[in-house]
Structures are given as C-alpha cells and as structure tokens.
Amino acid sequence: ATPLRTLAAAKGKFIGFAAATSPLANEAAYRTIAQTEFNQITAENAMKWDATEPSDNSWNFSGADQIVNFAVANNQAVHGHTLVWHSQTPGWVQGLGATAMRTAMQDHITTLVGRYASNTALQSWDVVNEVFEENGSFRSSFWYNTLGQSFIADAFRYARAADPDAKLCINDYNVEGINAKSTAMYNLVQSLRAQNVPVDCVGFQGHLATQYGFPSDLQQNMARFAALGVQVRVTELDVRILTPRTSAKDTVQAQYYTNVVNACLAVTACAGITIWGFTDKYSWVPDTFPSEGFALPYDSSYAVKPAYTAINTAL
Ligand code: XIL
C-alpha cells in the first residue's frame, strides 16, 4: 500500500503517531513503520513535565531530543506535548504558592519551548491540556485552584514569547462532539482570542471507544472551531474495543478510523491526525482501561489490521 504519509501529504494533511522512546531506540520493526508511514510525531511521554524537569531547574532532555532528532532525520513534524497539565507534573510544582507557581510555569515553558524554537521540525505545542471538567467548568486542578483561570492565558503568552512561530494549542478529550465540555472550550477560545491571547489551535484528543458510539457531529464541531479562526487537529486518536478482539469489532473500529479521517479531510482548517501509538504492542489502553484494548491500526506483531486499511483507503 502507498504509505499513509504520502497519501496525507497529497491532501495537505499530516498523519502522525505518539512515539514511545524505548522501542524507537531499540526495535527495528517499530522504527521502520514510524519512518515509512508517518510524517508527524508527538512524544507520548518524553516532553511532559515529569520527564523534562523532574526537580526545579534540573532538566532532562534525553527522550525529547531523541524524538526530535528522529523526526529531523525522517522529515517529520513534531508536536510538543505538553507544557501545562495537572497530570505527570512533579510534586514540587504542585505544592508551590501562587507567585512561585506562576514563575515555575514561566521558567518551564521558556526553557522547554526555547530549546526547540529554532528547530524547524518542532511546529506546534499543546500549551494547556485537559483544563475542563465534563460539565464544562474549569477542572479543579492545582493550577486552577492556585492561580485561577489566568494560568491559561499566561501559559499561551509565555509560549508565544519563547517560540513566535509555533502553533499553540489547547487540547482535551471528550470534546470531539458538540457537548457541554466542547462548548466550554469553544467559548474559552473565543474569549481568549478576543483578548489577543495567542491561541492558534484546538486539539481533539480522540480517545474513542466502540462501546460508546462515534461522535457523529465531529465534523460539525471541527467546523465551528475553524470559524473562530483556529487550526484544529486530532491529537491522540485511538479506538479501543472491549476484549476479546473479534473480526466484527475490528470492522466497527475500522469504520471509526474512516469517520475521523473523513471529518478531517472535509474541514480545511483540520491540519491532520495523530494516532496515539500505532501498534497494540505499545498502547496506553490496556494499562488504563480494564478489559479494553486493541485500539491501534497495527497488531502487537506489527501486522496491519482493518483499521490501517481504513485509514489508508480514506486518505
Ligand atoms: C498517557 C500515555 O499514553 C501513558 O503512557 C502515560 O502513562 C499516561 O499518559 N491524554 C493525554 C496523554 O494528553 O498525554 C495521555 O498519555 C493520554 C491521555
């Protein structure tokens, strides 16, 4: 089959994957698919705060550099993930008072974004991740509880100052369809842009599950964000099924992948799709959702599944 990246590029879109650092370093089969099929990479964990700045102003860029170097060698774009999140952030940050927390956030963003600002592979960042509750209120995180909602605008301003060229994104899950959470995100993006806060992009994570149904208004939702003037993207796509895997479930899953690709193709402002991994050998799903799995387009032996064929055919 024609590689996904060739097909996507012909449509003006990226097709990417979340990279795990260990197989990227150690497994030829993983590397081969990574470089052949994809033209964009997100670090699954290597750019998160706990990986990059485990203690105050003590930095570890090994995993982040590994991924950026791989991307440069293979002519792939990198999406930085993620600067400000309530999860995978060290305790030393969580315990700070307001002034010190804001300073720590500024230092973290300035250093991490600044490191890759002149690297043309690094084209975008998730500046804030998962700031909403399901009902559309702001998530009760240590960020919000210490700083109030101003941490969001501040984070975008610090990121813009550190890399004026990167697309700056707000990212979340369960915002693929039109619902209370995605409408809160829509209202926030509209209000931030009205205040000249540099929000360029909205990320829909896309952690879908066949037992919950497909968000059939995905395209309509993307279109309303696009009308605000932002780029949209699917940032963490996977489609989990209830175990055991069957061919009937593979077929339903493949249709979900088709639907996501079609929605992105139908919306000019949709820059592309990142799959949260590519092989069932390395997926966060079984570790996170009991009795669920098999969410990705390659099986654990790197054989293509119907989901791969669906993406390839739709692109
Ligand atoms: C997940 C990774 O896949 C896991 O390896 C890690 O243990 C936890 O985080 N939303 C996000 C991602 O924005 O960063 C998360 O990634 C999945 C949910």
Side-chain angles (χ1 to χ4, degrees):
T2 306
L4 302 179
R5 64 182 292 173
T6 308
L7 299 167
K11 298 279 172 73
K13 310 289 184 185
F14 68 77
I15 184 77
F17 74 103
T21 52
S22 168
L24 195 68
N26 300 319
E27 276 191 51
Y30 184 98
R31 265 201 307 279
T32 298
I33 293 171
Q35 58 202 168
T36 305
E37 295 289 339
F38 300 102
N39 58 11
Q40 185 272 334
I41 307 185
T42 300
E44 184 174 5
N45 289 301
M47 292 189 184
K48 292 172 180 174
W49 197 315
D50 60 356
T52 53
E53 194 190 8
S55 51
D56 192 358
N57 204 29
S58 163
W59 292 87
N60 180 350
F61 298 114
S62 57
D65 284 355
Q66 179 202 342
I67 286 169
V68 173
N69 292 341
F70 183 90
V72 169
N74 294 292
N75 195 24
Q76 295 162 315
V78 177
H79 177 66
H81 173 79
T82 177
L83 298 171
V84 178
W85 190 24
H86 64 276
S87 186
Q88 292 178 273
T89 302
W92 71 265
V93 182
Q94 301 189 32
L96 298 172
T99 301
M101 189 181 288
R102 195 177 294 104
T103 300
M105 182 176 84
Q106 180 171 17
D107 290 347
H108 185 77
I109 291 172
T110 302
T111 301
L112 185 54
V113 175
R115 181 174 182 86
Y116 303 108
S118 63
N119 190 314
T120 53
L122 198 317
Q123 296 178 5
S124 52
W125 279 99
D126 285 328
V127 177
V128 299
N129 193 29
E130 301 180 349
V131 301
F132 292 108
E133 307 278 4
E134 297 305 291
N135 68 4
S137 63
F138 284 111
R139 178 186 290 272
S140 171
S141 68
F142 66 88
W143 292 114
Y144 182 75
N145 294 334
T146 307
L147 296 171
Q149 73 175 87
S150 66
F151 83 89
I152 298 171
D154 286 344
F156 278 95
R157 290 184 172 120
Y158 299 148
R160 179 66 100 225
D163 184 351
D165 301 319
K167 293 267 189 223
L168 303 182
C169 306
I170 180 171
N171 192 53
D172 217 319
Y173 62 94
N174 287 349
V175 292
E176 294 75 25
I178 296 180
N179 55 41
K181 193 176 188 181
S182 66
T183 297
M185 195 176 201
Y186 176 91
N187 290 334
L188 177 64
V189 170
Q190 184 173 49
S191 130
L192 289 172
R193 287 172 62 84
Q195 298 165 73
N196 294 314
V197 177
V199 182
D200 305 312
C201 153
V202 171
F204 307 93
Q205 289 185 7
H207 293 295
L208 306 179
T210 56
Q211 73 272 23
Y212 300 138
F214 188 82
S216 56
D217 46 9
L218 171 62
Q219 182 184 324
Q220 193 189 339
N221 192 37
M222 284 180 167
R224 73 169 171 159
F225 278 94
L228 292 177
V230 290
Q231 181 190 84
V232 298
R233 46 175 70 201
V234 179
T235 52
E236 305 184 13
L237 180 62
D238 52 17
V239 183
R240 58 193 192 267
I241 61 172
L242 293 168
T243 57
R245 183 182 169 205
T246 66
S247 66
K249 292 178 193 172
D250 275 5
T251 302
V252 175
Q253 175 186 67
Q255 184 65 52
Y256 280 42
Y257 275 100
T258 296
N259 294 349
V260 173
V261 172
N262 285 342
C264 186
L265 291 177
V267 177
T268 306
C270 182
I273 297 169
T274 308
I275 304 167
W276 205 240
F278 57 84
T279 167
D280 289 336
K281 186 172 183 181
Y282 303 110
S283 166
W284 76 308
V285 169
D287 298 333
T288 311
F289 304 97
S291 306
E292 299 179 61
F294 304 106
L296 294 169
Y298 291 81
D299 73 12
S300 56
S301 307
Y302 297 105
V304 297
K305 296 162 61 182
Y308 174 87
T309 308
I311 300 164
N312 194 286
T313 303
L315 277 173

